[in-house]
Amino acid sequence: MTDAASAPLNAWDRVKLARHPERPHTLAYLSELSPRFVELHGDRSFGDDLALIGGIADFDGIAVMVLGHQKGGNTKENIARNFGMARPEGYRKAERLMRHAEKFRMPVVSLIDTPGAEPGIGSEERGQGTAIAESLLTMADLAVPTVALVIGEGGSGGALAIGVSDRILMMENAIYAVASPEACAAILWKDAGKAPEAAETMRITAADLLGLGLIDEIVPEPVSADEAPREAIAAAGAAIGRHLRELLQEFPLDDPAAMRRLKDERYQRFRRIGAWREDAAVLAGIANGVLP
Amino acid sequence: MPAMREFLSRRGKFRPKGREDETGAPQIPDDLWTKCPSCGDIIYTKELERSGQVCPKCDHHFRLRARERIELLTDEDSFYEWDIALRGQDPLRFVDGGGSYAKKLEQTREKSGEDEALITGSATIAGHRCALAVADFGFLGASMGSVFGEKLVRAIERAADARVPIITMNASGGARMHEGLLSLMQMAKTVAALARLGDAGVPHVAVLTDPCYGGVTASYATVADIVMAEPGALIGFAGPRVIEQITKQKLPEGFQTAEFLLAHGMIDMIVPRAELRERLADILALYQLAETVSHGSIVGTREVGAGRD
Ligand SMILES: [Zn+2]
């Protein structure tokens, strides 16, 4: 399975690697990459979500706010961490910490690793959709540089909620998708068993998404992260550090004009995304006053 | 002024509304009578039309197509449609069990009579100018893909430039899966445009209608300055069947209805369809008043207790 050089991995192989139980999660990254990490808890309104953690870290000499989904390493941990599926209080905590970061001019580093936001009765009662939307809104308008790295599963809106970033990176064996391949297969193929086919069609691998211009860089995993976690984490740290330094150089934190430029560029980055065309005949009709 | 050119890109008359069972639009056994799916009553179709497709017996709000909503809401002949030339593409060359997305788009356009799942434009409501973005559930379940997002963002940008409030009428099954991550990113794109609208101090009023789920609920629709819903509308992030399957719990009574959301503090109000136009007009008038006062002009000299005129 690790002999990636001889047989290229297909999308479904990547899905399995992205979900591999031995794959390092957010806290493993933090303990390798930051000599100092102070975790901050709670959304100040309902609770603390262990599936989405955050805190201030010394990252390669830069004080940053780190946000990350946290999966468990075993079943017991996974139950405590809700398998990395955040609830509204998780997104509200993330949103609170983003504002904290903005207040003290700390860049935000997001480590994305979730099957998706939790589908549940309590989550709906507490406004899962609204919580994600508010996190998106705050992040889109944040006056500090932001870097996101998908370290495992980038599962839909629950992933994007902390991923409206100036730079978006992916580990080589990470995936990022609008829905899980299983859900997509169940809906569009009417057969969840067609998930491998759906995974291929959905273009969810790092290489696919770089090709579509949706991410900036792939962090290579010559040996997949489940087998060589320290190497993968070191490569991730180097990539994040490089992007942070570039951003800080281009957009000095103490320069309000630079922060406006940063927000503008972030807006344009997301503004451009999409595939559409304008029907020439209709445009001509409008120009000539002939309505379709 | 480019903004004016946009205003003039008018589509013209409303097209006839194709009614389809799968959209939840009224099923018409014959021309005269319609069966209410909620109370089972047989309603005189003319009466249903007069009531804006609301059951007179049980108040069930039938789903409406986007153009029906526009017709009910806006002043006659005031609606100017924007971006009618925008067309979807098949960026992933997506082929599922039912064929290619490109073909599906083509078929859906023919069947639904619409080019995409969102209709945008400018209109007046009781004389108050506003931008409108209305989702059409009859077009692939009003799923949000690239064209949906682009149309909405252009509408938001025009609203911000013209300092005119935007009203979004929302229904959606979620993200357009056929466009993969491009669809997911429309959540970020639309919300980012709203952030700038907010910076400009221009209001966004969202009306949530049945059904409203997934990426739309988790993005632009729920971060409006005022969020309202139609009675009985189902609104949520995850669908009820998914939640039931995963949690193996029985869902509480009235789960994810507009009334449930109101009770949990997630929306500002529930507005029956018959009152929507008047309520929106009030809101637009109040925002207009706030804008006027904020520019230092206080015109009212009404005596205390005089009430509204
Ligand atoms: Zn009825």
Side-chain angles (χ1 to χ4, degrees), chain B residues 17-30 33-37 43 45 48-49 52-55 60-65 68 273:
Chain B
K17 311 111 192 171
R19 297 236 173 96
E20 295 150 48
D21 296 349
E22 69 186 63
T23 67
Q27 296 177 26
I28 303 171
D30 55 55
W33 304 96
T34 302
K35 190 176 180 194
C36 173
I43 313 158
T45 302
L48 202 53
E49 273 166 22
Q53 310 288 351
V54 177
C55 173
H60 172 73
H61 283 50
F62 287 84
R63 290 178 187 171
L64 293 179
R65 297 294 304 269
E68 295 179 293
R273 193 171 289 161

Side-chain angles (χ1 to χ4, degrees), chain B residues 284-297:
Chain B
L284 292 172
L286 287 168
Y287 278 130
Q288 179 61 54
L289 181 62
E291 170 112 352
T292 311
V293 173
S294 76
H295 288 112
S297 135

Side-chain angles (χ1 to χ4, degrees), chain B residues 123-141:
Chain B
T124 60
I125 296 176
H128 301 282
R129 180 149 299 284
C130 62
L132 263 184
V134 186
D136 192 88
F137 197 73
F139 193 101
L140 295 179

Side-chain angles (χ1 to χ4, degrees), chain A residues 79-142:
Chain A
I79 289 167
R81 299 283 181 189
N82 202 26
F83 299 86
M85 295 186 294
R87 300 181 170 115
E89 42 278 19
Y91 296 109
R92 295 197 169 110
K93 171 169 67 179
E95 202 257 346
R96 175 174 81 83
L97 298 183
M98 287 175 203
R99 291 196 186 283
H100 183 123
E102 189 175 50
K103 181 174 177 182
F104 299 106
R105 292 181 187 163
M106 300 170 190
V108 175
V109 172
S110 303
L111 300 176
I112 293 172
D113 191 16
T114 179
E118 188 205 57
I121 295 170
S123 285
E124 295 292 327
E125 286 174 336
R126 299 192 296 281
Q128 184 71 288
T130 309
I132 292 171
E134 281 169 350
S135 185
L136 294 171
L137 186 69
T138 297
M139 201 170 194
D141 212 28
L142 214 58

Side-chain angles (χ1 to χ4, degrees), chain A residues 124-126 128-129 133 136-137 141 157 160 178 189 264 267 270-271 273-279 282 291, chain B residues 10 85-87 89 95 146 150 153-154 157 180 186 189 191 196 199 218-219 222 236-238 256 260 266:
Chain A
E124 295 292 327
E125 286 174 336
R126 299 192 296 281
Q128 184 71 288
L136 294 171
L137 186 69
D141 212 28
L160 180 65
V178 66
W189 276 262
D264 243 36
Y267 182 66
F270 287 94
R271 175 74 187 76
I273 296 177
W276 66 84
R277 64 185 176 86
E278 307 244 10
D279 189 299
V282 177
L291 295 166
Chain B
R10 185 180 181 181
L86 271 181
R87 297 285 181 276
Q89 288 186 300
V95 180
S146 298
E150 178 67 14
V153 166
R154 289 187 188 185
E157 287 177 342
Q186 302 308 311
K189 172 170 165 169
V191 166
R196 286 161 72 108
D199 288 346
S219 68
T222 50
F237 174 66
Q256 293 185 328
F260 177 92
M266 291 304 146

Side-chain angles (χ1 to χ4, degrees), chain A residues 166-185:
Chain A
D166 301 310
R167 300 277 194 278
I168 305 172
L169 325 177
M170 281 179 78
M171 299 299 293
E172 186 180 341
N173 292 317
I175 57 165
Y176 199 176
V178 66
S180 75
E182 288 87 346
C184 183

